[in-house]
Amino acid sequence: MSQPKHVAIVGATGAVGAEMIRCLEERHFPISQLTLLASARSAGKTLKFKGQDIIIKELTPESFEGVDIALFSAGGGISKEFAPYAVKAGAVVVDNSSAFRMDPTVPLVVPEVNAADVKNHQGIIANPNCTTAISLMALYPLHQAFGVKRVFASSYQAVSGTGAQAIEELARQSRAWANGGRTAWDDARLPESEVRVYPHQIAFNVLPQVDSFLDSGYTKEEMKLENEGRKIMHHPDFRASVTCVRVPVFRAHSVAISAEFEKPITVEAARAVLAGAPGLDVVDDPAAKKYPLPLDAAGKDNCAVGRLRMDCALDNGLCFWVAGDQLLKGAALNAVQIAECL
Ligand code: NAP
Ligand code: 3JN
């Protein structure tokens, strides 16, 4: 039985922070004290943990005295500035941002893939990008069996991936449309004043942009599967060409993947491998219209994979569709699982 820990959550009021509190509670993480940290805007407000009100404190360099494990989820800038204070105070940081992911001294971990890397930490362990984590839940077991060479993928990313303000944006735009007295089904454009978080209206639309563009034409988000996937799978030659798309879904990301493998693969052999993979459900009965849906994945710890079929354009290729709750496996749950490994 491990000693109860003093755990701090940085970004406790955010979409991910709220799920971290819930995961710690539901998984009975051994906690002696929970410190909730956010910006000055939230200081003094309370959040519930195990039925008790906990007062949120403003994040400062002194916030980490006596803290054993600090779960960071307040963006890369905050992680870069404050994680060193946490480490100096003796805490182990599990960071949700990209600030340290590609730092060779920082393990980047999906416990179902590379839990053993946790022990190499020097104070900071990074949580991968949500689309990467969800994709690897299905891709890694296939890689172990068949050796993945490269993937072509498109993501369908929920607005909660952008945080609390984007959830409100989709809800507000949907209400504005419904309350707008529209008579024609194709009259879906809302006034510019309704567009505040994304560069374009998200309700009744899809946006082929997640994060900012690089000189290559890909976005930063699109390169994470290749870069982070190489590190997590210990597979430096892995290649991924990805298009990330924001869709008007509240919660849970989906990814359509075409993967090319070294070894011959069949749908039956792939299904058998995926059926034995931890943290993954196979939902694949197209004749009965059963396949993974973000609505079904929302709120669930496990990711789901389906639509398995031979890829008709690749040698040794398999197409599949993965859905997973990006606030859970893509962020909070994965972070708490890493803390459990500690
Ligand atoms: P969010 O809902 O916008 O929440 C942001 C959190 O950061 C809030 O708790 C906020 O506190 C806090 N914060 C902002 N400025 C701060 C400051 N100066 N000092 C202390 N705390 C501050 O965002 P989110 O969706 O939870 O995501 C947070 C981060 O997690 C992202 O930036 C990303 O790096 C990572 N992440 C998110 C997802 C996802 O699916 N959403 C997935 C993977 C990784 P206040 O409420 O006081 O402003
Ligand atoms: O947009 C999404 O669906 C996921 C967003 C993730 C995110 C948002 C802001 C900054 C990240 C991330 O985890 O990769 C970051 C970051 O790079 O820290």
Side-chain angles (χ1 to χ4, degrees):
M1 188 69 164
S2 59
Q3 284 284 98
K5 304 287 183 214
H6 180 175
V7 176
I9 300 179
V10 178
T13 52
V16 175
E19 293 301 330
M20 285 174 163
I21 297 172
R22 212 168 54 81
C23 285
L24 290 170
E25 183 166 336
E26 282 181 2
R27 296 173 73 85
H28 305 289
F29 193 91
I31 288 191
S32 56
Q33 189 178 337
L34 182 63
T35 295
L36 301 182
L37 302 164
S39 76
R41 295 178 289 276
S42 304
K45 294 180 187 165
T46 59
L47 284 169
K48 285 227 184 293
F49 177 67
K50 293 189 177 172
Q52 306 252 311
D53 283 329
I54 299 190
I55 298 173
I56 299 159
K57 295 185 187 147
E58 181 183 355
L59 174 66
T60 70
E62 291 76 41
S63 295
F64 301 98
E65 210 185 306
V67 170
D68 299 304
I69 298 173
L71 306 177
F72 272 67
S73 186
I78 298 287
S79 296
K80 278 193 185 136
E81 185 177 350
F82 288 92
Y85 292 115
V87 174
K88 205 164 168 212
V92 178
V93 168
V94 181
D95 182 39
N96 249 297
S97 79
S98 59
F100 306 105
R101 283 180 195 150
M102 299 316 295
D103 180 332
T105 67
V106 172
L108 176 62
V109 175
V110 175
E112 289 83 352
V113 177
N114 62 333
D117 288 352
V118 164
K119 67 178 183 310
N120 301 327
H121 79 81
Q122 297 174 24
I124 301 176
I125 301 162
N127 222 32
N129 167 262
C130 42
T131 301
T132 302
I134 290 164
S135 300
L136 293 189
M137 289 299 287
L139 186 62
Y140 182 68
L142 294 171
H143 168 55
Q144 282 182 301
F146 307 105
V148 69
K149 283 163 73 174
R150 58 179 180 160
V151 301
F152 301 91
S154 293
S155 70
Y156 300 69
Q157 299 189 208
V159 294
S160 48
T162 312
Q165 287 177 329
I167 300 169
E168 167 52 25
E169 176 109 332
L170 176 58
R172 184 175 30 72
Q173 290 181 352
S174 304
R175 280 194 302 270
W177 185 86
N179 297 334
R182 289 157 199 273
T183 49
W185 64 267
D186 58 350
D187 183 14
R189 170 116 23 215
L190 295 166
E192 270 303 306
S193 58
E194 293 290 350
V195 178
R196 300 175 199 167
V197 173
Y198 295 114
H200 306 281
Q201 177 181 326
I202 182 64
F204 316 106
N205 208 1
V206 295
L207 312 181
Q209 178 185 357
V210 177
D211 209 336
S212 52
F213 287 98
L214 300 165
D215 289 345
S216 63
Y218 284 96
T219 64
K220 283 186 187 168
E221 182 84 356
E222 287 165 347
M223 295 314 300
K224 288 172 183 170
L225 180 58
E226 178 170 281
N227 294 331
E228 297 179 16
R230 287 178 174 182
K231 182 168 174 176
I232 297 164
M233 295 195 287
H234 298 271
H235 184 354
D237 301 326
F238 172 63
R239 298 183 71 182
S241 175
V242 182
T243 302
C244 287
V245 182
R246 186 75 62 193
V247 295
V249 164
F250 279 111
R251 184 165 175 160
H253 288 3
S254 308
V255 194
I257 300 179
S258 285
E260 187 177 50
F261 296 92
E262 301 280 356
K263 297 183 192 160
I265 187 167
T266 64
V267 168
E268 292 68 32
R271 188 177 284 118
V273 165
L274 294 169
L280 188 71
D281 298 327
V282 178
V283 183
D284 191 31
D285 186 1
K289 302 184 181 62
K290 288 196 176 145
Y291 26 71
L293 297 173
L295 269 183
D296 295 334
K300 299 228 174 77
D301 285 356
N302 278 9
C303 296
V305 64
R307 294 294 322 277
L308 304 188
R309 59 207 189 276
M310 297 306 290
D311 191 298
C312 63
L314 292 175
D315 294 331
N316 298 337
L318 186 82
C319 296
F320 52 97
W321 168 264
V322 201
D325 189 322
Q326 91 293 343
L327 291 172
L328 291 175
K329 189 59 207 172
L333 171 66
N334 198 71
V336 171
Q337 287 176 310
I338 291 172
E340 288 169 352
C341 294
L342 285 167

